Amino acid sequence: MIRMIAHRLLIGVFVMWGAASLIFLIVRAAPGDPATVLLGPDATPGQLAEVRATLGLDRPLGAQYLSYLGDVGRLDFGESHWLGRPAMGAVLDRLPATIDLTATATVIAVTVGLTLGVLAGGRPGGPLDRVVSACTIALQSFPTFWIGIMLVLVFALSLRVLPSSGVGTPQHLVLPAVTLSFPFVAIIARLTRTSLVETMRGGYVRTARAKGLTERQVLIGHALRNSLIPVVTVVGVQVGALVGGAVIVENVFAWPGLGSLVVEAVANRDYTVVQGATLLIAGLVVVLNLVADLLIAQLDPRIRTGAV
């Protein structure tokens, strides 16, 4: 177990380095000049040059990169020229809103997805299985922003039972969380169904039936636990993807999280905020994947003992 954790942490270090390097190159390859955005189009060449020097943008790209990696290694993410404050401080202020949204969407997706997957996988080929399969395919086919707009039209504008945007009450969280969870529900339901159908064909399941256990006892007590191993793996990966997918949802519903902050920072060419938010998201993905690995190790004793 300790060896596995050390191995995952080492991989996480390389992931963080790759994310830091990639976002460094992307933001500098994007069109637009931070100095021009900061001073406006009427700034003189001398003023622009002074601001570029202050931001360190007048140095060669390699020197900027090495300085950037050194600062990140010291957990110094720089100052936001747009907000006039430490970049990571601004990112951390927006993080709780994104965590609330992502955590709620995950709970909805796991609860609904597992339920649908078990119902479909318990009787493969039946009417309920066909209905669930059709619904999950539809959920994965629709773009997230379209789902959000449709939910706003129905529940906010037509029925007027939920607010269309903003924060402040639990009701404000419902539409963005449901929107973010819909594709995730489809993934979990389909994977649970497939995994459960394969598990139910195992020899130990036939043995359990031969002992006189009911189909419910076989399904819940024997098959479901082994079926959850690939589901937990996907959940760990998809939760990180939800944080990235929140960029679209947060802007559709004016939710003040990391996604809306990144969009605003990109518009203002604020490199430090974009880099800080990206690295924080990458770190969350690494941690969530490690947690998923530990959960899988608890579900599969072969991993704990090093048999696989």
Side-chain angles (χ1 to χ4, degrees):
M1 178 71 76
I2 296 177
R3 183 178 179 182
M4 183 195 74
I5 294 175
H7 179 66
R8 296 295 190 274
L9 290 176
L10 181 61
I11 293 176
V13 171
F14 282 100
V15 169
M16 295 297 294
W17 170 76
S21 302
L22 188 60
I23 194 60
F24 173 87
L25 295 174
I26 289 176
V27 296
R28 281 158 180 77
D33 180 11
T36 303
V37 173
L38 188 61
L39 296 179
D42 298 328
T44 65
Q47 291 173 325
L48 293 174
E50 182 179 354
V51 170
R52 291 191 189 101
T54 302
L55 298 176
L57 301 177
D58 59 334
R59 295 181 296 164
L61 188 63
Q64 293 183 46
Y65 176 68
L66 293 177
S67 177
Y68 164 66
L69 288 183
D71 291 340
V72 170
R74 296 191 300 272
L75 300 181
D76 179 5
F77 299 93
E79 294 283 326
S80 167
H81 67 76
W82 163 49
L83 299 172
R85 56 177 298 194
M88 188 52 71
V91 170
L92 292 177
D93 285 347
R94 295 289 192 98
L95 180 61
T98 296
I99 290 178
D100 289 342
L101 176 59
T102 305
T104 305
T106 301
V107 171
I108 294 172
V110 171
T111 303
V112 177
L114 282 177
T115 302
L116 293 178
V118 171
L119 292 175
R123 294 183 180 275
L128 186 57
D129 183 23
R130 290 195 290 268
V131 171
V132 170
S133 297
C135 291
T136 54
I137 291 174
L139 287 179
Q140 286 186 287
S141 302
F142 295 139
T144 304
F145 71 88
W146 184 87
I147 294 175
I149 293 172
M150 291 300 102
L151 291 178
V152 168
L153 289 175
V154 174
F155 293 100
L157 298 181
S158 298
L159 301 179
R160 299 183 181 277
V161 294
L162 292 171
S164 61
S165 62
V167 294
T169 66
Q171 287 77 15
H172 286 90
L173 183 59
V174 174
L175 288 183
V178 170
T179 300
L180 189 60
S181 71
F182 266 15
F184 197 12
V185 168
I187 293 172
I188 293 178
R190 290 171 65 85
L191 183 60
T192 302
R193 185 260 180 201
T194 303
S195 180
L196 191 58
V197 169
E198 291 295 325
T199 303
M200 293 290 283
R201 296 171 181 167
Y204 65 93
V205 173
R206 291 193 295 270
T207 301
R209 286 172 174 156
K211 290 180 178 179
L213 297 180
T214 65
E215 197 65 22
R216 180 185 178 87
Q217 290 173 324
V218 171
L219 179 66
I220 303 300
H222 292 75
L224 185 58
R225 175 173 177 144
N226 288 334
S227 301
L228 287 179
I229 294 175
V231 176
V232 171
T233 303
V234 170
V235 169
V237 175
Q238 287 296 320
V239 170
L242 283 182
V243 178
V247 172
I248 297 175
V249 174
E250 287 180 2
N251 281 277
V252 170
F253 293 97
W255 188 262
L258 282 179
S260 56
L261 176 66
V262 169
V263 171
E264 294 167 3
V266 170
N268 288 277
R269 301 299 185 272
D270 195 330
Y271 294 166
T272 55
V273 171
V274 176
Q275 292 168 172
T278 303
L279 287 175
L280 182 60
I281 292 172
L284 289 174
V285 171
V286 170
V287 172
L288 290 171
N289 284 335
L290 178 59
V291 171
D293 289 337
L294 294 177
L295 289 175
I296 293 170
Q298 293 301 315
L299 290 171
D300 191 345
R302 296 174 299 171
I303 298 177
R304 293 198 303 269
T305 58
V308 295

